[in-house]
Amino acid sequence: RGLMLSKTFISQNALMNNGIGRYVPQLARVTIKFCKEHGSSQGVRRYIEEEIVDFARKNPATVVYLKPRRHRSPVLVAEFLNGQTYYQSLHMLGSDTVSGFMEIYRGHSGVVYSEQGKYTYSDHPSIQGYWNPTTNKEPASALYKFPRHTSLPQEPTATEMLQQLFNSQQNSDGGAEHFSQGEKDRLETRKQGES
C-alpha cells in the first residue's frame, strides 16, 4: 500500500484486484418482498412475471428469492459478499424502474459509497467537478488504437536542452580555451583528486 492508498477515492469505492484473475460478482443474494394483491406492488409483480427469470439466468452467482407478504409495501433487499445489506423501497414503481435497481445492485461492489472530501473549506466550491485522469486530455485520444506507429510531437527534455546548450557553447567558444591559467591549474588538480 502506498502512503495515501488507504484513503483514496478509488480504493474506498471499488474492490481492488477484482477481475484480474477472474471477476467475482459481489452481489450474493437478492430478496424481493412484495404483495400479491396490493396496487403498490404492481410494477414489481410485472417485473417478476416478465424479467426475473432472465435476470437469474444471466447472473448464476446471485441467489434470487421472492417473498410474498400480504398488504406490505414492496422492498428489494440486496446482500453482498462483504456483509453489507441494502434496502430499496419499490413502492409504486414501474417494472422498468425495478429492473434499473436490479442492474444497479448487480454491478455494485457492496462497499458503502464515500464522497471524496477535500481538506480545505471554501465558500464557493468548484462547479467543474472532481479531477480524473482524463480531465485535461484531448478527447480524440480515447479513440487511439495502440500500439501507435506515429509518435506524438514531444518537447525536448531538460537534459537534451542542457546538452544542446553545452554543445553550442563548445562550438562557439572553442572549448576550454576561455579559462585563465589559474582556473586551468585548479581544474587539473581537481581532476587528479587533489584539493
Side-chain angles (χ1 to χ4, degrees):
R1 280 193 161 178
L3 181 63
M4 290 291 293
L5 185 59
S6 62
K7 294 185 178 185
T8 57
F9 176 70
I10 293 174
S11 66
Q12 288 180 355
N13 295 313
L15 267 127
M16 302 299 277
N17 302 329
N18 192 7
I20 290 179
R22 70 181 179 96
Y23 176 72
V24 178
Q26 298 299 301
L27 182 61
R29 182 182 309 138
V30 173
T31 305
I32 299 178
K33 302 175 182 179
F34 65 101
C35 179
K36 291 183 179 180
E37 302 166 358
H38 203 266
S40 66
S41 297
Q42 183 177 1
V44 177
R45 288 193 303 267
R46 180 173 289 139
Y47 175 78
I48 290 170
E49 291 170 2
E50 297 173 358
E51 300 181 41
I52 196 71
V53 175
D54 291 334
F55 179 85
R57 189 174 293 131
K58 290 178 184 175
N59 302 288
T62 303
V63 181
V64 179
Y65 292 112
L66 301 177
K67 186 175 181 182
R69 307 180 306 170
R70 293 184 55 128
H71 309 296
R72 302 283 299 274
S73 182
V75 176
L76 183 143
V77 182
E79 299 175 41
F80 293 90
L81 292 179
N82 65 356
Q84 287 288 338
T85 303
Y86 290 90
Y87 294 88
Q88 177 65 49
S89 173
L90 303 175
H91 183 75
M92 300 294 288
L93 297 180
S95 63
D96 293 337
T97 310
V98 174
S99 175
F101 278 121
M102 292 290 281
E103 286 300 311
I104 287 172
Y105 287 118
R106 181 190 62 81
H108 198 272
S109 67
V111 177
V112 177
Y113 183 83
S114 68
E115 184 68 27
Q116 182 182 13
K118 58 181 183 174
Y119 296 110
T120 58
Y121 172 78
S122 62
D123 290 329
H124 307 286
S126 172
I127 60 170
Q128 298 173 354
Y130 293 121
W131 178 89
N132 62 52
T134 60
T135 299
N136 298 316
K137 296 241 174 149
E138 179 186 352
S141 65
L143 304 175
Y144 290 157
K145 301 277 190 226
F146 292 100
R148 293 189 56 164
H149 299 292
T150 59
S151 63
L152 297 174
Q154 295 180 349
E155 296 180 8
T157 63
T159 305
E160 293 170 348
M161 291 170 62
L162 285 173
Q163 289 173 348
Q164 290 173 359
L165 181 64
F166 177 75
N167 290 335
S168 66
Q169 286 179 354
Q170 291 287 25
N171 294 337
S172 65
D173 294 340
E177 285 136 19
H178 67 282
F179 290 124
S180 67
Q181 187 61 37
E183 291 175 336
K184 286 180 183 178
D185 292 340
R186 203 172 324 140
L187 285 173
E188 285 298 321
T189 57
R190 285 189 183 168
K191 283 182 187 176
Q192 296 172 3
E194 301 171 7
S195 53

